[in-house]
Amino acid sequence: SDVCSSDLGAMAERRTAWLCCRIALLHTAVALRPLYPVKKALSTGKHCVAGGVHKLYYEEHGTATGAPALFLHGGPGAGCFQRHAGFFDPDHYRVLLFDQRGCGRSLPKGCLDGNETPQLIADIEELRALLGIEAWQVVLGGSWGTTLALAYAQAHPSRVRSLVLRAVCLMRQREIRWLFGARGGAAQLHPAGWQKFSAAAPEIGRASCRERV
């Protein structure tokens, strides 16, 4: 009985190891899969959102009659690029990319006035209504975009059918410290770049950063 139990335990361990290897290989295959090819945008535009200060750049890709999909870029401040449409099958989805307030090709560039999460959530709703979309079949967010995707889905659950979150960053204090702190990941991995970033921050911001982070 003890021998049988030992054999069964060994078999279970081998089975678990085999499954782990299969899962690892699957993750590698998915990670290495190329993005879908991106063609010329279906449409582009700039929309002046509520408040009258910010004008958001947006573009649509894929199929005009496809399932609505929304991509939310990271940063905050990074902006969108056409290649982001490549996350979606162009034969199935109607993809919206847009530069959030102060980002990319949106105007005024770098403006922080009226640039808080509730305003960004309202912007998504305004663009959705502008484009005649009832609900997003999928909302894909990356990095800071995961935070915005979750916040939007919480505020408007009836407008989101599914979420895809990649490179998750929820802007918690420990994540902010890792990103921007003097002893964080960016400072350790790319010290020269972090020094430029730190030097460009206003003096009061640098002092606050060093004290708190």
Side-chain angles (χ1 to χ4, degrees):
S1 134
D2 291 341
V3 173
C4 289
S5 297
S6 176
D7 289 345
L8 288 173
M11 288 175 61
E13 288 181 3
R14 287 195 295 272
R15 179 68 176 173
T16 301
W18 179 82
L19 286 172
C20 288
C21 288
R22 296 284 294 179
I23 292 170
L25 289 171
L26 177 62
H27 285 179
T28 301
V30 171
L32 295 177
R33 188 181 70 182
L35 299 180
Y36 289 99
V38 179
K39 300 177 182 179
K40 184 179 178 181
L42 294 174
S43 67
T44 64
K46 285 188 176 179
H47 175 65
C48 188
V49 291
V53 174
H54 293 272
K55 183 177 288 188
L56 304 186
Y57 174 84
Y58 68 89
E59 53 188 52
E60 292 185 279
H61 291 266
T63 303
T65 57
L70 172 67
F71 179 84
L72 297 174
H73 67 71
C80 278
F81 300 91
Q82 276 199 343
R83 67 174 181 271
H84 290 143
F87 283 113
F88 304 89
D89 183 346
D91 295 327
H92 181 74
Y93 289 103
R94 174 191 177 188
V95 183
L96 175 67
L97 311 179
F98 80 97
D99 292 331
Q100 296 160 29
R101 296 188 180 206
C103 304
R105 287 159 286 186
S106 291
L107 299 173
K109 190 173 180 66
C111 180
L112 299 179
D113 294 338
N115 197 343
E116 301 287 344
T117 303
Q119 284 84 23
L120 302 184
I121 292 171
D123 291 346
I124 296 171
E125 272 296 272
E126 199 166 323
L127 288 171
R128 182 192 61 75
L130 175 72
L131 298 173
I133 293 170
E134 177 64 25
W136 306 103
Q137 190 65 34
V138 59
V139 176
L140 190 162
S143 189
W144 150 253
T146 64
T147 299
L148 183 56
L150 287 168
Y152 174 71
Q154 286 180 319
H156 301 282
S158 65
R159 304 302 185 184
V160 180
R161 298 287 184 260
S162 64
L163 286 169
V164 177
L165 307 177
R166 53 177 283 274
V168 175
C169 181
L170 300 179
M171 291 298 160
R172 294 168 291 187
Q173 281 301 314
R174 64 184 181 184
E175 292 168 319
I176 295 172
R177 284 196 297 269
W178 192 91
L179 286 169
F180 304 116
R183 295 180 296 278
Q188 295 180 45
L189 296 173
H190 195 353
W194 188 88
Q195 287 295 336
K196 290 182 179 179
F197 161 77
S198 178
E203 185 62 38
I204 188 170
R206 292 204 300 272
S208 176
C209 182
R210 286 165 183 159
E211 290 170 7
R212 299 179 184 178
V213 181

